[in-house]
Amino acid sequence: MRERKSIFHNLDWYLVGFYLLFVFMGLISIYAAVYNPESPSILDRSQLYGIQFVWIMSSLLLATIILMLDVKIFSSFSYLIYGVSMLMLILVLLFGKVISGSKSWFHIGGASLQPAEFAKFATNLALASFLSNLDNNLKTAKTVFIAGFILLIPTALILLQNDTGSAIVYVSFILVLYREGFSGNFLILGFVTAILFVFTLMVGKYLVLGIIAAITIVLFLITQKARKNLFTLFGLFAVIVAFVFSVDYAFENILQDHQKERIEILLGKKTDLKGAGYNVHQSLIAIGSGGFAGKGFLQGTQTKYKFVPEQSTDFIFCTVGEEWGFLGSSLFVFLYLGFLVRLLYAAERQRSAFSRIYGYGVASILFFHMAVNVGMTIGLAPVIGIPLPFFSYGGSSLWAFTILLFIFIKMDSYRLELL
Amino acid sequence: MKSNYSKRKYVIISIFLVIGLVYLLRLFYIQVIEDKYILSAQNNVIRKETIYPSRGLILDRNGKVMVANHVVYDILITPNQVGRMDTLRFCNLLDITKVQFIELYKKARKYSPYKASLFVGQLSKEDFAYLQESLHEFPGFFSQKRTLRYYPYPIGALNLGDIGEVNQREIDRDNYYSSGDYIGKNGLERFYEQELRGQKGIEFVMVDVFNRKKGSYKEGKYDTLAHPGKNLFTGLDAELQAYGELLMHNKLGSIVALEPSTGEILALISSPTYDPALLVGRKRGENFNKLLNDSLKPLYNRALMATYPPGSTFKMVNALVALQENAITPDTYFSCQGKSSQPIKCTHNHMTPLSLENGIQQSCNPFFWQTFRNILNNPRYRNSHDAYEAWYNIVKSFGLGEKFNSDLMFESAGNIPSKAYYDKAYNGQWNAMTVRSLAIGQGEILITPIQLANMAAIIANRGFYYPPHLVRAIHTRENLTKSATNKKTVSVDRRHFYPLIEGMEKVAKVGGTASRASMDSIVVCGKTGTVQNPHGRDHSVFIAFAPKDNPKIAIAVIVENAGDYGGTWAAPITSLMMEKYFYREIRRKEKEKQILEADLIPK
């Protein structure tokens, strides 16, 4: 069993293929976004695309190394890896460098490293390790509590770095918990909460309360069951009322000004095309002006002339939308969905719960990143600065996502042996 | 029993797919259905730069440039491209305060956050030179070159007119204009706006987010060239205009000098006047308000708009009508009882009885009363009303009581009372006696200075005129304007002018009412007038032409509140104007000094 023919044995070539395709598409997009006619070589290391090429090459090396490692390392050392990762998050708080308001970067030599990116796969490993233990059952409060604790530590530490975007990513683990038996009601509760939150801010609390009261009365009048459960019905009503009132309070007092602004702009309550709304507005212009077939490679005027900020990192999707049009961006969405579905498929075929949970974690994290990142460029999500996996410029995120994915690919190639 | 939950994968896949589908729909909407983003994208990168053509020049009859162009720079702003910058330094470079900066910014933003609009206009080449070097440090601001009017001589302000920024009404009326463009507001600039303005050109350039030019859009496929405006060749004599303005300094009134054979205006002076340069550049608005509120009304073009009873100068028209209607002949003598004449007394001492020639020389009121009475009591007509109608028609043929409609802005028509007017005023019961004031150019009759000058030109031409006009040709000297070829003949035969002109010659000689108008070698024919002014001292009027044969100039001069008779002030001014026109220099320095020193503005 130990004698493996090659690291490529039993490898899921679909996932590897998707990975290589995305990394390549990302490089092309970065090239187009920051294209400098004086340095047209994609390998020119004085340009962002040249640097990204180096990151890609090193990521491939990293992926190869992961594939060569003993697969048992990940399950055995999952808590250790988690612990080291959390330590890094603490260290960066103490010794990190502040970049655009967030104290989340280590500056070593000429390179910058963002521990929060690496905390994702570490947390995923720890969670998978914990939940795969047969003693733990998400129906019990204790398990839920500990699982929540595993997630809360990195979330809190990253929040302390003032990197809200990276912290919010941990919300995505709710899908993993759900898959492993966590009550679906919480998923619904989360959904309802989000809807109530948005509606309260959009139309005002009194209108929302009116609607809720109306629904309660109608339920009371038309259903027998509701009348029997009078206590539950009105208890629920009271909770909702309290929540609606707290939304206003939370919005006004807990959120920071720039966060409030981003939410208000997303909800259309405020337009500030020069300030906080500028990014989204320009991003919409870039993508929208791509039209059906796009403007063509290197022909995107909005990105080329730098109207879209952060165009190589958080707003990289604009380049895709502008230069390749609806054809290109819908192809992107299809490819990404295909990738995610393939991940779920691969996760489900694992014999080991650890691998399966880890696989779900990978899919959830990548999905959340894609949904928020693309959503923000097309005005469907608030501006949260998180990268588009494999596309956005940046070494830390590319390395971290490569590690995240290839640990699973490694596990998957051992799916028949791991239990 | 964890496998129980394996069905939950469908829920999770569904969430993925639903989000994916929502995103696809959204992308389809913004990329395929909604096209506002394409427009916004073009607004972002394509900047339409207007290439302003140089405005046509205005030249005088000797080819001297009276209105020229010089280059200035406008600073434009695209508010939503304004970024982080050293505002204080920018204000210093533009020489504005921070408060003004904020105000201007707000104004531009109100106009449009995306579209460029004027921020600060008309920086001189020198001022702009400093700013130009660092303009790239101020995102959202860019410069545009344009030309501004420049006046080599500080004269002829009201004739030449001025240009100013278009207002909303003008933009609505003609879509050639857009906010910040300039348009002729008065005078020739306004009348010949279409010819002077030329054709704007458009250049599309690609810019980046910092508004740096990145090249032309589609290799200039959509660019259009600017066509310069056409030059105006006027009949004005810049030197004469300048001299006239000088003579009228500290006086209220007008001088109009025409070339009789062509109707070209040699000089058109309304006093007080102003330096046309006052209405150019950044101080335009401020200066305009000052002029507008000046109690002496320098913006009011008296030469075209002020109407006066013509006084004795009108006697010549009456004489011509009488001769044409055979109501008198050159040999008709009328008597004058001097100050005891009825119903109009004479103001001069002279022989009696007297003929037309002497009647004109002496401006004898009784002579012209009797002439006028003969016109209205002409046996040719059934009654005096019909005779009046005949008088009226001939008078109108002199271009009186109506506008010339050549190229003069804001003319007044003046007034020649019609038969219907008197029928109404006197209930149909009126006769020569009732309207006797007309005999000596008083009463309801009102004439503008330019009409008066044209009257002199008609007499000089012995019966025809071209409507007085400023511009003789456009674009080339040969391309004559309509006014320059619009010859009109009056309803008085040529032969009737000769006896009149003999009388006018005597006016300007020693013994005439305007001996002050005399010159040594050129025979001047003239006629004085005094306009009764119920508000103050009488106005002094003089019309003249010279030389007697083949006249080159016809003039009307009105000096308001000058008192006395036309001969006192108006005649010597006329004489000096003629001397200037014929000799280009003034030898009668004493006479000139007397006029220049006179201050006739009522205090």
Side-chain angles (χ1 to χ4, degrees):
Chain A
M1 284 256 292
R2 293 264 119 225
E3 300 295 318
R4 296 296 299 254
K5 290 185 205 81
S6 112
I7 57 165
F8 300 129
H9 182 74
N10 244 342
L11 208 58
D12 190 291
W13 284 107
Y14 288 104
L15 291 178
V16 176
F18 274 122
Y19 171 79
L20 292 174
L21 185 63
F22 289 161
V23 174
F24 175 71
M25 284 166 71
L27 182 63
I28 292 292
S29 301
I30 293 167
Y31 182 71
V34 296
Y35 176 66
N36 180 350
E38 281 155 28
S39 321
S41 166
I42 203 161
L43 302 178
D44 189 328
R45 282 185 54 198
S46 68
Q47 302 298 320
L48 284 188
Y49 33 87
I51 304 173
Q52 180 75 355
F53 184 76
V54 175
W55 288 123
I56 289 172
M57 286 301 133
S58 53
S59 294
L60 291 181
L61 186 68
L62 214 54
T64 315
I65 292 170
I66 289 167
L67 291 182
M68 290 194 305
L69 290 175
D70 188 335
V71 71
K72 290 255 194 298
I73 287 175
F74 304 116
S75 47
S76 311
F77 295 116
S78 58
Y79 290 121
L80 181 68
I81 294 170
Y82 178 75
V84 169
S85 176
M86 293 309 110
L87 189 68
M88 297 292 275
L89 287 179
I90 294 167
L91 288 177
V92 82
L93 270 177
L94 300 175
F95 307 110
K97 188 177 187 301
V98 178
I99 293 181
S100 50
S102 302
K103 197 175 188 182
S104 44
W105 295 83
F106 277 130
H107 217 61
I108 308 158
S112 299
L113 216 68
Q114 196 180 7
E117 292 294 344
F118 298 94
K120 285 168 198 163
F121 86 85
T123 307
N124 196 17
L125 279 175
L127 189 73
S129 192
F130 174 72
L131 291 182
S132 59
N133 190 327
L134 286 173
D135 297 337
N136 299 323
N137 185 337
L138 280 167
K139 290 289 177 203
T140 67
K142 187 186 155 213
T143 307
V144 171
F145 184 76
I146 295 174
F149 197 69
I150 291 173
L151 297 176
L152 204 64
I153 291 175
T155 310
L157 287 172
I158 295 169
L159 273 178
L160 283 176
Q161 298 169 10
N162 204 13
D163 184 1
T164 323
S166 297
I168 283 179
V169 171
Y170 289 85
V171 169
S172 59
F173 281 104
I174 197 165
L175 290 177
V176 180
L177 297 180
Y178 170 70
R179 169 63 185 83
E180 296 308 314
F182 193 51
S183 169
N185 288 340
F186 288 97
L187 213 59
I188 295 166
L189 185 74
F191 184 69
V192 171
T193 311
I195 297 271
L196 271 179
F197 183 80
V198 167
F199 268 85
T200 306
L201 289 179
M202 271 176 91
V203 302
K205 57 188 167 197
Y206 296 106
L207 191 57
V208 171
L209 287 180
I211 294 166
I212 300 297
I215 291 171
T216 312
I217 291 165
V218 168
L219 280 177
F220 175 74
L221 291 178
I222 62 166
T223 64
Q224 287 287 324
K225 203 177 166 189
R227 248 177 272 187
K228 280 181 194 157
N229 293 321
L230 208 62
F231 184 74
T232 320
L233 186 68
F234 285 101
L236 209 60
F237 179 68
V239 169
I240 289 172
V241 170
F243 176 75
V244 166
F245 273 100
S246 65
V247 165
D248 249 11
Y249 177 83
F251 189 72
E252 292 301 330
N253 300 298
I254 296 176
L255 290 183
Q256 295 178 13
D257 279 345
H258 72 276
Q259 293 166 334
K260 259 161 60 180
E261 219 164 44
R262 286 171 180 178
I263 290 173
E264 280 176 333
I265 284 162
L266 181 72
L267 297 179
K269 286 183 72 177
K270 197 173 167 186
T271 43
D272 175 10
L273 300 180
K274 226 186 98 198
Y278 177 81
N279 293 11
V280 178
H281 183 67
Q282 291 299 340
S283 158
L284 279 172
I285 289 176
I287 296 171
S289 66
F292 184 73
K295 296 178 185 171
F297 184 52
L298 298 184
Q299 301 302 310
T301 52
Q302 304 304 296
T303 46
K304 194 162 73 181
Y305 294 152
K306 305 184 173 45
F307 285 93
V308 185
E310 311 282 339
Q311 51 197 337
S312 56
T313 54
D314 294 347
F315 283 88
I316 189 69
F317 185 68
C318 292
T319 312
V320 179
E322 187 183 10
E323 298 199 341
W324 305 108
F326 179 69
L327 282 181
S329 44
S330 55
L331 178 69
F332 167 87
V333 173
F334 279 122
L335 284 175
Y336 226 97
L337 284 178
F339 174 59
L340 292 172
V341 170
R342 179 75 198 175
L343 267 175
L344 291 187
Y345 166 81
E348 284 292 341
R349 72 182 172 189
Q350 301 304 313
R351 293 172 70 197
S352 122
F354 176 75
S355 307
R356 181 184 69 236
I357 297 166
Y358 184 83
Y360 262 90
V362 174
S364 302
I365 290 171
L366 294 179
F367 166 72
F368 189 85
H369 268 274
M370 188 279 281
V372 170
N373 180 285
V374 175
M376 124 188 132
T377 63
I378 58 177
L380 289 181
V383 178
I384 294 169
I386 56 174
L388 183 58
F390 314 125
F391 275 75
S392 290
Y393 169 81
S396 288
S397 76
L398 185 58
W399 277 11
F401 286 124
T402 303
I403 294 170
L404 180 76
L405 177 65
F406 274 86
I407 288 176
F408 178 67
I409 291 177
K410 173 75 182 175
M411 288 173 181
D412 179 63
S413 68
Y414 279 79
R415 62 185 176 270
L416 301 174
E417 289 130 76
L418 279 174
L419 250 176
Chain B
M1 291 293 108
K2 289 190 176 178
S3 58
N4 287 351
Y5 302 120
S6 123
K7 282 205 172 109
R8 288 190 169 182
K9 69 182 179 214
Y10 296 115
V11 174
I12 293 170
I13 287 178
S14 302
I15 292 173
F16 287 8
L17 295 182
V18 164
I19 293 282
L21 184 68
V22 168
Y23 282 19
L24 281 175
L25 289 175
R26 172 73 174 171
L27 283 165
F28 186 73
Y29 174 74
I30 64 173
Q31 295 191 300
V32 181
I33 294 176
E34 178 66 78
D35 47 13
K36 77 172 181 196
Y37 297 114
I38 293 173
L39 279 176
S40 306
Q42 288 177 349
N43 278 348
N44 266 349
V45 292
I46 300 171
R47 200 172 69 206
K48 201 171 117 180
E49 289 205 332
T50 306
I51 311 298
Y52 285 93
S54 57
R55 205 171 162 86
L57 306 179
I58 303 180
L59 295 92
D60 91 335
R61 66 189 301 109
N62 300 313
K64 283 186 183 159
V65 178
M66 298 184 76
V67 184
N69 297 311
H70 74 137
V71 172
V72 291
Y73 294 86
D74 285 347
I75 303 302
L76 285 88
I77 177 177
T78 311
N80 72 337
Q81 288 172 0
V82 174
R84 200 179 280 276
M85 59 180 235
D86 186 347
T87 315
L88 195 66
R89 203 161 88 82
F90 188 67
C91 288
N92 286 339
L93 284 167
L94 273 181
D95 195 20
I96 57 173
T97 65
K98 185 128 191 195
V99 178
Q100 283 172 311
F101 176 89
I102 292 164
E103 243 165 59
L104 289 165
Y105 176 79
K106 278 185 186 158
K107 189 182 147 210
R109 195 168 181 88
K110 209 173 143 199
Y111 171 70
S112 166
Y114 310 105
K115 281 161 80 180
S117 60
L118 187 69
F119 189 71
V120 171
Q122 305 172 0
L123 294 180
S124 70
K125 225 184 245 173
E126 295 74 31
D127 288 346
F128 180 67
Y130 289 108
L131 181 62
Q132 191 176 25
E133 285 168 35
S134 36
L135 196 59
H136 68 273
E137 292 169 31
F138 308 109
F141 293 93
F142 61 98
S143 66
Q144 199 161 279
K145 190 171 127 179
R146 74 190 310 167
T147 56
L148 214 63
R149 284 316 215 185
Y150 166 68
Y151 302 92
Y153 313 101
I155 55 166
L158 285 171
N159 308 336
L160 303 171
D162 52 85
I163 56 173
E165 262 182 63
V166 284
N167 57 36
Q168 195 54 49
R169 217 179 50 243
E170 286 157 343
I171 295 174
D172 294 343
R173 203 168 42 214
D174 184 348
N175 62 13
Y176 174 84
Y177 300 100
S178 49
S179 178
D181 281 359
Y182 287 87
I183 189 173
K185 295 284 189 185
N186 194 6
L188 292 179
E189 298 278 18
R190 175 154 164 179
F191 192 89
Y192 291 105
E193 168 67 17
Q194 300 272 345
E195 287 78 11
L196 287 169
R197 74 184 183 191
Q199 181 69 44
K200 280 190 278 191
I202 293 165
E203 195 179 58
F204 293 94
V205 291
M206 309 264 282
V207 293
D208 70 3
V209 69
F210 305 113
N211 226 334
R212 293 181 297 219
K213 279 193 200 179
K214 290 287 176 180
S216 65
Y217 178 64
K218 305 236 173 185
E219 279 97 40
K221 200 165 114 190
Y222 301 106
D223 297 359
T224 53
L225 285 172
H227 298 288
K230 294 171 181 160
N231 295 344
L232 300 184
F233 296 93
T234 70
L236 287 167
D237 181 329
E239 265 185 62
L240 190 66
Q241 175 79 27
Y243 190 60
E245 290 185 15
L246 182 71
L247 292 177
M248 288 302 283
H249 192 62
N250 283 332
K251 296 158 197 77
L252 300 178
S254 318
I255 302 175
V256 181
L258 305 174
E259 183 177 65
S261 58
T262 59
E264 286 167 19
I265 296 172
L266 298 169
L268 188 86
I269 294 129
S270 170
S271 184
T273 183
Y274 58 89
D275 182 349
L278 285 178
L279 295 187
V280 177
R282 294 166 77 177
K283 298 266 185 203
R284 176 188 155 82
E286 197 182 306
N287 288 334
F288 186 81
N289 278 332
K290 273 187 198 160
L291 293 172
L292 196 64
N293 294 321
D294 189 328
S295 63
L296 296 178
K297 299 190 182 156
L299 292 175
Y300 177 66
N301 195 340
R302 289 157 204 272
L304 303 180
M305 299 166 80
T307 57
Y308 308 88
S312 300
T313 54
F314 193 69
K315 289 171 181 167
M316 320 245 280
V317 179
N318 277 335
L320 287 165
V321 177
L323 291 168
Q324 177 70 20
E325 294 284 291
N326 210 19
I328 61 164
T329 69
D331 300 321
T332 304
Y333 282 80
F334 290 121
S335 62
C336 172
Q337 274 77 48
K339 290 196 163 121
S340 50
S341 304
Q342 288 294 333
I344 307 172
K345 61 182 189 224
C346 194
T347 49
H348 306 273
N349 292 317
H350 55 79
M351 59 189 164
T352 179
L354 71 179
S355 67
L356 177 60
E357 247 176 65
N358 298 117
I360 287 172
Q361 184 190 11
Q362 299 301 336
S363 196
C364 174
N365 286 346
F367 180 92
F368 284 97
W369 153 242
Q370 290 167 82
T371 302
F372 186 66
R373 192 184 53 195
N374 279 10
I375 295 173
L376 291 206
N377 296 340
N378 197 334
R380 271 189 195 180
Y381 299 99
R382 259 185 319 130
N383 53 39
S384 59
H385 290 196
D386 285 0
Y388 183 83
E389 194 89 322
W391 174 86
Y392 176 83
N393 288 332
I394 297 173
V395 170
K396 289 278 280 191
S397 77
F398 281 72
L400 301 177
E402 59 194 48
K403 297 176 180 179
F404 289 118
N405 288 321
S406 54
D407 56 8
L408 309 167
M409 289 311 297
F410 311 118
E411 295 173 81
S412 295
N415 183 41
I416 303 296
S418 65
K419 177 172 159 288
Y421 169 80
Y422 285 124
D423 280 345
K424 204 175 164 214
Y426 298 109
N427 228 346
Q429 302 294 309
W430 58 276
N431 55 29
M433 188 66 186
T434 324
V435 297
R436 63 182 177 276
S437 311
L438 297 180
I440 55 165
Q442 302 286 356
E444 292 87 348
I445 186 167
L446 292 171
I447 293 186
T448 62
I450 193 160
Q451 287 173 337
L452 260 164
N454 191 48
M455 208 164 91
I458 292 168
I459 299 166
N461 290 336
R462 280 85 167 161
F464 72 89
Y465 71 96
Y466 290 90
H469 52 274
L470 287 163
V471 175
R472 58 184 303 271
I474 297 170
H475 197 44
T476 64
R477 286 176 186 280
E478 290 69 42
N479 183 26
L480 297 180
T481 57
K482 212 175 76 198
S483 308
T485 53
N486 186 16
K487 184 176 176 177
K488 301 203 169 192
T489 311
V490 298
S491 312
V492 176
D493 297 340
R494 189 174 173 84
R495 61 191 163 97
H496 297 309
F497 285 88
Y498 293 95
L500 189 83
I501 290 168
E502 293 304 322
M504 287 176 75
E505 185 186 343
K506 288 183 173 154
V507 169
K509 282 197 170 144
V510 180
T513 54
S515 51
R516 292 161 197 245
S518 67
M519 269 187 296
D520 302 339
S521 51
I522 292 175
V523 181
V524 179
C525 304
K527 181 71 196 81
T528 55
T530 304
V531 174
Q532 291 165 11
N533 176 15
H535 308 292
R537 299 178 70 193
D538 289 346
H539 306 321
S540 174
V541 184
F542 190 67
I543 67 171
F545 64 88
K548 182 183 173 191
D549 300 314
N550 199 10
K552 295 288 182 215
I553 184 169
I555 296 191
V557 175
I558 291 191
V559 186
E560 290 183 14
N561 313 100
D564 303 331
Y565 306 115
T568 322
W569 296 107
I573 288 173
T574 306
S575 177
L576 286 167
M577 286 292 283
M578 287 184 169
E579 188 175 353
K580 182 77 184 176
Y581 187 62
F582 287 119
Y583 303 116
R584 311 312 282 183
E585 59 172 351
I586 302 297
R587 282 167 296 188
R588 295 174 293 169
K589 292 288 180 198
E590 202 46 45
K591 193 167 199 156
E592 183 185 46
K593 190 173 165 232
Q594 199 186 344
I595 298 295
L596 293 179
E597 284 173 356
D599 183 348
L600 300 174
I601 293 179
K603 299 294 186 302

